[in-house]
Structures are given as C-alpha cells and as structure tokens.
Amino acid sequence: MIKFRLLWFLLIFNTLVFAQWQAIGPYGGYVRSVVVSSANDNIVYAGSNGSPAIIAKSTNGGSSWNTVGSIPNSIYCMAIDPTNDNRLYAGSGHNLYRSTDGGVNWLGTSMSNKYIYGIAVHPSIPSTIYASGMSYTGTKWGIAFFKSTDYGVNWTTTVIDTSGSSNYGFCIAADRTNPNNIYIGGYSYVSSYIPRIYKTTNGGGNWVYLSADTLFNNAYYIYSMAVHPTNSNIVYAGTYLIKRNLPLNQWWTILDKKFFKLL
C-alpha cells in the first residue's frame, strides 16, 4: 500500500512539474506584463512591448483575446484595481498611464527624469497606488519609490538608494494582509552588480535594506517579487545566474536556482 501511494504521488508530481505550456496568444509582440482580476479570474489583461504597446483582454481565462487599446510606448508593468476590473494602470518609461474603461482609453502622467518599472495597487484603498523605478538626482540615477493617493493622477517620489553609479528599482510587491508592508527589488552597480531588496512597514515612509547582496550571491538583479496572499512571512523573488544554494530559513533556490523564497 505504501508503494502504491508513493507511485501515485510520483505520477501526480511528474504530471504537475513537467506539464507543457501551450501558446494561447495574443500574438504580435512579446508580452511584458499580465494582470488578473481579483474578483473574476476569467478577466486577464496583457500589455506588450512596442510603439505603440498593445493592451489585450481575455474574459475566459486566456482562451481567447481581443485588443482593447494601446499606449504610445512599451509597457514595463501593469496593475489592476482589486475593486474595479475596468481600472488599470501601466508604467511605460517616463510615463504612468491609467484607464477607467478596461484599457480602451488611457490618460498619462509624465514623470520627468524618472523611469517606472513596477506598479501595485493598495489592496484595500484602491486610490493609493505604488510604483518602483529610478529617479535622477542631478548627478546619478537612484532606486525610487513613487506613491499616489488619488488614483494615479499625482505622484510623490522617494529616492531610496544612490550608493552605486547606477541604481534600478525593477519591481515592487505589496502585502495583501498588511498593506503597509511593501518590498522593492532591483540592483546597484558598485564596481559590480549588487542585488538590492528594500522593505517598508509604514507605507513608504521609511525603508530598510535587507542585505540582498549577501543572500543573493552573484544574482545581479532582482527582477520580480511577490508576497504570499495570506502569510506575510513568505516572500518570493525572481532573479538569474544564481551560483550557490543557501541554508533553509533564509533565501533558498528552486526552479533551476533562479527563484527564491523567504521563510
């Protein structure tokens, strides 16, 4: 009986791990960002690279797609209002765009001397939007946190890190169970590439450096992050070129040493 259970487990594991991916579109350029509705997981939006960048929408979980709108330049990131499927946000270089009609029409806010690479909506106060990227200080680019409290119309900027000759904030993740917890991942170049992760526990008022350069040996950049939807103590980060495993209860590698989980 034990052998049967083990075999059954191995069959299930093999099916889950080695299941093949199927291309379902939309076609016409590579996709930089995908967002799914919190209220209806059949509603999915995708934003493309290109000039113009295409916004496509699926209402059946990705089985089919329709182009609904576009913005002038490549989309680096997207976010969706958790209370309104038609309210979308997109970061595109020096601009932050917002739509209130499901991506058909967009209004842009110019972010002079700034780049936007990540965006997130406050889980319970949808008028509050967070973004990550970089801001020019007059002498160099610094990792930056951007915040809006009026649905993305006006933004404040907080420069977090200027330690390197160049500093990028590639991604941002907000904690659903404690929205004041926010993470920003990226890198600084200080004679070599040093991965950076910062955390705030007061909605962006203060930031703490989590010493990602030690935990992510030779990881170069932190490209993406996410917080577990029900457990604030579990945080995920995606990077590349990891060359060693790390102890449990710290950052440890899965998925071919390119993905980390913090316990």
Side-chain angles (χ1 to χ4, degrees):
M1 187 65 177
I2 294 176
K3 290 183 178 180
F4 174 79
R5 288 179 177 175
L6 177 60
L7 178 60
W8 179 248
F9 169 78
L10 290 175
L11 288 172
I12 295 174
F13 180 81
N14 183 70
T15 301
L16 292 174
V17 172
F18 297 102
Q20 294 184 351
W21 289 81
Q22 179 183 3
I24 56 175
Y27 300 99
Y30 64 84
V31 174
R32 281 186 179 268
S33 185
V34 176
V35 291
V36 182
S37 165
S38 298
N40 182 353
D41 58 11
N42 282 315
I43 297 177
V44 187
Y45 293 92
S48 77
N49 183 68
S51 299
I54 301 301
I55 291 88
K57 180 180 181 180
S58 173
T59 57
N60 54 14
S63 295
S64 61
W65 295 84
N66 291 307
T67 298
V68 292
S70 65
I71 62 176
N73 297 304
S74 296
I75 295 172
Y76 290 105
C77 54
M78 291 182 69
I80 186 170
D81 187 326
T83 65
N84 183 348
D85 296 333
N86 289 315
R87 190 183 297 275
L88 303 171
Y89 301 91
S92 176
H94 296 292
N95 295 279
L96 274 161
Y97 291 90
R98 61 191 186 279
S99 172
T100 58
D101 58 5
V104 178
N105 297 290
W106 294 81
L107 293 173
T109 299
S110 177
M111 307 286 282
S112 179
N113 291 322
K114 298 171 178 61
Y115 277 94
I116 309 302
Y117 292 116
I119 193 165
V121 181
H122 191 290
S124 56
I125 307 175
S127 59
T128 298
I129 319 298
Y130 306 126
S132 64
M134 59 183 186
S135 179
Y136 190 64
T137 64
T139 57
K140 63 174 66 175
W141 291 94
I143 295 175
F145 169 70
F146 309 100
K147 183 176 182 178
S148 172
T149 57
D150 57 5
Y151 293 99
V153 178
N154 298 289
W155 294 82
T156 59
T157 302
T158 302
V159 177
I160 299 172
D161 188 343
T162 58
S163 60
S165 57
S166 61
N167 309 274
Y168 283 67
F170 276 124
C171 56
I172 189 166
D175 184 347
R176 293 186 191 178
T177 58
N178 188 345
N180 285 320
N181 293 341
I182 308 166
Y183 297 84
I184 286 180
Y187 83 91
S188 294
Y189 186 84
V190 185
S191 73
S192 63
Y193 292 100
I194 301 175
R196 301 294 199 196
I197 292 180
Y198 286 88
K199 179 182 180 181
T200 178
T201 58
N202 58 5
N206 303 97
W207 292 86
V208 176
Y209 177 44
L210 297 185
S211 301
D213 54 338
T214 300
L215 299 175
F216 289 84
N217 185 42
N218 295 326
Y220 291 87
Y221 312 150
I222 307 299
Y223 274 119
S224 58
M225 296 192 72
V227 183
H228 192 284
T230 60
N231 188 341
S232 298
N233 293 318
I234 299 177
V235 183
Y236 301 90
T239 180
Y240 78 115
L241 292 179
I242 305 305
K243 295 184 179 180
R244 67 185 177 97
N245 289 319
L246 296 163
L248 292 175
N249 299 321
Q250 295 185 33
W251 292 94
W252 54 277
T253 58
I254 59 174
L255 297 182
D256 196 28
K257 300 183 181 179
K258 297 178 183 178
F259 197 77
F260 289 81
K261 179 180 179 182
L262 178 62
L263 296 174

